[in-house]
Structure formats: structure tokens, C-alpha cells
Amino acid sequence: MSDNSLRLVWVYPDLLSTYGDQGNALVVERRARQRRLDVMRIDVRSDQPIPTSGDIYLIGGGEDRPQRLAAERLRRDGGLSRAASNGAIIFSVCAGYQILGHEFINDLGEREPGLGLLDVVSTRGEGERCVGDVLGDIDPQLGLPQLTGFENHQGITHLGPSARPFARTILGRGNGTGDGTEGAYNETVFGTYMHGPVMARNPQIADLLLKLALDVNALPPTDDRWYEALRAERIATATQPA
């Protein structure tokens, strides 16, 4: 952790913040403060340099053109890649997830280079758009409860050998490859298609990022009644017969 405070960086809210993904930054900040952690949130717009001294970086989803612009500026800036090299924790959603991979298809129908922080490649699906509630079992190595979220994407993301699936779907299409995978991660970089925002539905993900950034095995307990009520509501709604 840098200096005496936890530095939380919200990347390009002016380009990548669809479906309430900024709520992820709010949840991480809130759960840090509930543990009396000194946290500094830094919102970095796309015309500003990415600081390299952050501890946790969050990236949201976006439409096709803003995604291309974000990828271009992140490549040119280089700060996020340097932060990853320094061991920073990065959590990305949807378009942000695709940007962290090797490449994706941009709004011009062309292959757009990503940052290569996750061993994934994203293409554009030819069938129906992936839309709706998702339930999944998160990789047991992460020690997290069932994943709940909402997907809305046309992209299909294929995992390479060094990327682990973040979750296995019970309901929904996840990465869209038909193999039941959802998202991807390595030791410090995470990607998912889940909106919701995902950390409001799954606050333990925020706690995981805090533990990784602080290099601790546990955090002091906090009041999760509101979050658990939301989780129960969304899971019940998703599993009700159509």
C-alpha cells in the first residue's frame, strides 16, 4: 500500500461508466472506510494521466466508440500498465475487461490492441446479444460466495492459458464462448462482464481487492445486512420461472 492511505483510482469515468459501474468505486471506498482505513479516491478523466502509485484501479463498461478511445489513450499513457507492473490490483468490467486483454473488435469493425494485462482475446458475437441476469460459482481459490450480476454485451471473450475463469455460470452466458466461463483473472488483474453494479451485489469482491492491496488474509467484520438483502432479492428474481 502506498504511503499511509489506500489509493483507489477510478479510471476514465467520462468514457467507461455504463450501467452504474461507478457504484463499484463507491462500494470499495465505503467498505474501506467501514474498517477505518484511510482511503483516497482519485477519479481520472481521459484527458488526465493515470497515476502509477495507486493500490486499486477500477474500470467500468462503455459503448463501442468510447471503448476504442479509452484503449487508445491507455496505451499512449502507459500509466495503468506501469501500475500493474508495480503490483497494483486492477478490476475491470465489460468494455474495460476487453481492453485489458490482448485485443478486441472496435466500433470500426477492426482489431484493436488492448493492454495485454489479461491473457484474453475478445471478438464480436454473431448471434443474440448476451443480456440478462447471471449467477455463477466464483473460482473456489478466491473464497467468495456465489456471483450475481447483469450482463449486456455482444462480445465473446476467449481465455488464454495464463488466465483463470473468474466464475462458472449457472445462469447466463458469461464470456459467451459456450464453455460456461465468466470473466478472467490472474494474480492481480480481474475482469468480468457483470454489471449491477457488481460490487453492490457482491461486496465480498470489494473486500477481496482490499485484502490483496493490504496484503492481509482477513478484514474486520462489517454490517452486511443491506448487501445481503439485495443479493437475496436479485438471486431470487433471477431464479424465478419465466
Side-chain angles (χ1 to χ4, degrees), residues 138-144 164 185:
I138 294 178
D139 188 330
Q141 289 196 16
L142 298 176
L144 297 175
R164 296 180 61 89
Y185 79 100

Side-chain angles (χ1 to χ4, degrees), residues 176-189:
T177 55
D179 61 0
T181 63
E182 200 299 301
Y185 79 100
N186 54 38
E187 292 183 358
T188 59
V189 182

